[in-house]
């Protein structure tokens, strides 16, 4: 069983280095953190942007296109806009807990369970790891399902961020203090996709994979509905590709390799519909290919693993041609070269393996990092370079030790 890496980076989920000692050594960045960056500027340690964030995400009124014109008209009349707030505090990108949150995984309750006799409520998976109540320390005699509370949580999720309020009507206008400015109540709740991904991330990081998978499945359903209405727009394809990749990581963490491969394959299908000149897209695509390769590798299907690794390598080579001065892209190519070479060695093709390791070494030795580049990027370069050197120095026939 391998240690799972956090899957949730926008369209940039780093390769699973922790699963293979000879692979990448960096931890995965969170794919769905609400970052402002539109592209991955550093190595895999950089948090990636949420696939649901938009350039004008900070402007709440833009979130509702049909309201935009009317909002602008009211603003020109010296009106004030008061954002609508979720009564439970779930409408912010900042970290918040509410009455429907599990205090252990800090995500919304999933399979709500009540401790007996203290009555504190947690997710079933979370509290099952304890013999004493994590909040009060009381002995847990038994755990009972709280179906009524879970029903409330499910209803809350179903309705969250879907209520679209009229911009101006008789009930939406009030006076602010002594001013006579009109108050326009706009819906600024987090978009449903962002909201679900935020909850899935928290659950995944707490190893509550069932909860994370449930939220992500709801997210994919929403995006598929939009695709049926609007067609395969680049934004929707990017979002669905990212979320499907996250679902693949959940399935892999749960030990369901078959479902993981299916999710990664579908993620690749949608990402292939996007322009390949975007580093975020190419990185995500290559990572999904590598993750399928890893699963094939663990299943001892080396030829299939090599095929996926080579596809990832080709994607990264093409990206490096478009972005020759991107240090992180050069590092990605070196990592892919190491993966393919490692398989070649396992397949007793030592000459090809050595050539691959040496090509990776050459790339990293010639890579010059500017002072602007992070220390983490340099650390990763050194780490991968040291691994490649060790592989070249190994005597022939030592592939098993490398694996």
């Amino acid at each position: 069983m391998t240690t799972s890496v956090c899957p949730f980076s926008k369209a940039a989920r780093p390769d699973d280095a922790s699963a293979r000692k000879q692979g990448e050594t960096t931890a995965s960045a969170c794919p769905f953190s609400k970052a402002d960056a539109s592209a991955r500027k550093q190595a895999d340690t950089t948090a990636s942007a949420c696939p649901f964030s938009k350039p004008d995400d900070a402007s709440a009124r833009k979130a509702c296109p049909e309201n935009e014109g009317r909002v602008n008209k009211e603003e020109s009349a010296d009106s004030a806009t008061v954002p609508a707030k979720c009564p439970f505090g779930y409408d912010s990108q900042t970290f918040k807990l509410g009455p429907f949150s599990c205090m252990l995984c800090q995500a919304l309750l999933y399979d709500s369970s009540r401790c007996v006799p203290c009555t504190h409520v947690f997710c079933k998976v979370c509290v099952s790891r304890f013999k004493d109540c994590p909040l009060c320390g009381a002995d847990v005699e038994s755990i009972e399902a709280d179906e009524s509370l879970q029903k409330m949580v499910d209803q809350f999720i179903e309705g969250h961020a879907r209520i679209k309020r009229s911009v101006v009507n008789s009930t939406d206008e009030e006076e602010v203090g002594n001013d006579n400015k009109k108050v326009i109540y706009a819906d600024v709740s987090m978009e449903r996709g962002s909201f679900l991904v935020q909850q899935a991330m928290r659950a995944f990081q707490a190893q509550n994979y069932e909860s994370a998978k449930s939220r992500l499945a709801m997210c994919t359903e929403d995006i598929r509905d939009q695709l049926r209405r609007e067609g395969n727009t680049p934004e929707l394809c990017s979002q669905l590709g990212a979320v499907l990749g996250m679902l693949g990581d959940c399935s892999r963490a749960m030990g369901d390799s078959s479902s993981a491969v299916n999710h990664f394959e579908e993620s690749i299908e949608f990402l292939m519909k996007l322009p390949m000149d975007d580093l975020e897209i190419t990185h995500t695509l290559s990572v999904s290919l590598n993750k399928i390769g890893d699963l094939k590798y663990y299943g001892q299907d080396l030829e299939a693993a090599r095929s996926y690794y080579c596809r990832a390598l080709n994607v990264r080579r093409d990206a490096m041609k478009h972005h020759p001065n991107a240090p992180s892209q050069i590092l990605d190519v070196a990592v892919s070269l190491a993966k393919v070479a490692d398989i070649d060695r396992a397949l007793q093709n030592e000459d090809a393996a050595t050539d691959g390791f040496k090509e990776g070494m050459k790339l990293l030795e010639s890579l010059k990092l500017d002072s602007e580049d992070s220390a983490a990027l340099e650390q990763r370069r050194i780490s991968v370079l040291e691994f490649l050197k060790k592989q070249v120095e190994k005597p022939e026939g030592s592939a098993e030790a490398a694996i």
Side-chain angles (χ1 to χ4, degrees):
M1 182 64 67
T2 60
T3 302
S4 176
V5 180
C6 175
F8 303 102
S9 59
K10 168 184 174 181
R13 300 183 316 281
D15 291 329
D16 184 3
S18 62
R20 299 177 62 194
K21 295 181 180 179
Q22 71 277 19
E24 295 178 66
T25 57
T26 56
S28 170
C30 174
F32 285 88
S33 57
K34 272 280 196 180
D36 291 331
S38 60
R40 185 170 48 96
K41 296 180 180 179
Q42 297 178 342
D44 292 340
T45 54
T46 304
S48 35
C50 174
F52 297 95
S53 61
K54 297 180 180 179
D56 57 349
D57 208 18
S59 179
R61 296 180 301 282
K62 302 286 187 181
C64 188
E66 67 268 27
N67 292 340
E68 183 176 356
R70 302 182 69 182
V71 170
N72 290 338
K73 184 183 296 184
E74 289 297 323
E75 286 178 342
S76 63
D78 196 26
S79 62
T81 301
V82 176
K85 292 294 183 181
C86 170
F88 297 117
Y90 290 110
D91 58 353
S92 173
Q93 297 174 17
T94 58
F95 184 81
K96 288 186 178 180
L97 294 178
F100 294 150
S101 300
C102 171
M103 299 301 293
L104 297 178
C105 68
Q106 299 184 335
L108 286 174
L109 288 163
Y110 179 79
D111 201 2
S112 302
S113 299
R114 190 177 300 277
C115 295
V116 177
C118 68
T119 73
H120 287 128
V121 180
F122 309 92
C123 299
K124 182 177 180 179
V125 169
C126 297
V127 74
S128 295
R129 302 165 185 163
F130 296 87
K131 295 182 179 179
D132 301 329
C133 175
L135 282 181
C136 67
D139 292 340
V140 177
E141 297 178 3
S142 63
I143 299 174
E144 298 178 349
D146 194 330
E147 296 179 0
S148 60
L149 177 58
Q150 188 60 51
K151 184 177 180 180
M152 292 176 63
V153 175
D154 294 341
Q155 290 175 338
F156 172 75
I157 294 174
E158 181 61 25
H160 192 274
R162 285 192 170 181
I163 300 175
K164 296 299 181 183
R165 310 176 184 199
S166 300
V167 179
V168 179
N169 58 41
S170 59
T171 61
D172 288 337
E173 299 178 10
E174 295 180 4
E175 292 185 357
V176 181
N178 295 325
D179 296 334
N180 291 322
K181 297 180 180 179
K182 293 180 180 179
V183 179
I184 302 170
Y185 288 94
D187 181 4
V188 294
S189 297
M190 288 177 65
E191 290 187 7
R192 182 176 164 87
S194 300
F195 173 72
L196 290 170
V197 167
Q198 180 195 69
Q199 299 301 317
M201 282 181 56
R202 294 181 185 177
F204 187 92
Q205 290 166 347
Q207 298 183 351
N208 190 347
Y209 303 125
E210 286 287 355
S211 175
K213 189 174 181 179
S214 173
R215 309 311 182 207
L216 292 172
M218 295 176 66
C219 191
T220 58
E221 291 176 7
D222 284 356
I223 301 174
R224 290 184 196 279
D225 286 341
Q226 288 183 277
L227 282 169
R228 283 190 285 269
R229 294 193 305 267
E230 304 175 22
N232 292 331
T233 66
E235 181 182 12
L236 292 176
C237 287
S238 174
Q239 290 177 358
L240 186 55
V243 176
L244 286 168
M246 294 161 60
L247 270 172
D249 284 318
C250 284
S251 296
R252 183 178 58 172
M254 296 167 67
D256 188 354
S257 297
S258 177
S259 294
V261 170
N262 290 337
H263 288 311
F264 288 135
E265 287 280 16
E266 194 174 5
S267 171
I268 292 168
E269 176 187 344
F270 281 96
L271 293 174
M272 288 292 292
K273 299 176 182 180
L274 301 170
M276 290 294 106
D277 56 351
D278 188 322
L279 276 179
E280 283 286 346
I281 301 302
T282 56
H283 181 73
T284 305
L285 175 60
S286 64
V287 168
S288 291
L289 289 166
N290 274 342
K291 288 188 174 182
I292 298 177
D294 289 342
L295 290 168
K296 299 294 184 181
Y297 184 96
Y298 304 144
Q300 299 301 309
D301 190 350
L302 299 185
E303 290 290 353
R306 189 182 189 282
S307 174
Y308 281 101
Y309 287 154
C310 285
R311 288 176 64 185
L313 175 59
N314 292 335
V315 169
R316 290 178 171 184
R317 284 189 190 278
D318 290 341
M320 190 171 71
K321 292 178 182 178
H322 289 94
H323 304 274
N325 298 321
S328 60
Q329 195 59 45
I330 296 174
L331 274 167
D332 281 348
V333 172
V335 169
S336 282
L337 285 167
K339 286 178 175 287
V340 174
D342 183 49
I343 292 290
D344 285 333
R345 174 166 286 172
L347 293 171
Q348 305 301 314
N349 192 349
E350 187 62 29
D351 289 341
T354 301
D355 290 343
F357 289 133
K358 287 183 177 179
E359 184 180 354
M361 288 174 54
K362 184 177 179 181
L363 279 176
L364 296 181
E365 288 172 344
S366 61
L367 177 60
K368 305 298 182 184
L369 300 177
D370 298 330
S371 57
E372 298 179 358
D373 296 317
S374 68
L377 196 63
E378 173 63 13
Q379 183 178 4
R380 183 178 176 229
R381 185 190 75 86
I382 294 174
S383 177
V384 176
L385 182 59
E386 288 178 350
F387 164 76
L388 293 171
K389 289 180 178 179
K390 289 179 180 178
Q391 299 310 306
V392 172
E393 295 169 357
K394 283 183 179 295
E396 188 174 354
S398 61
E400 291 185 3
I403 295 175

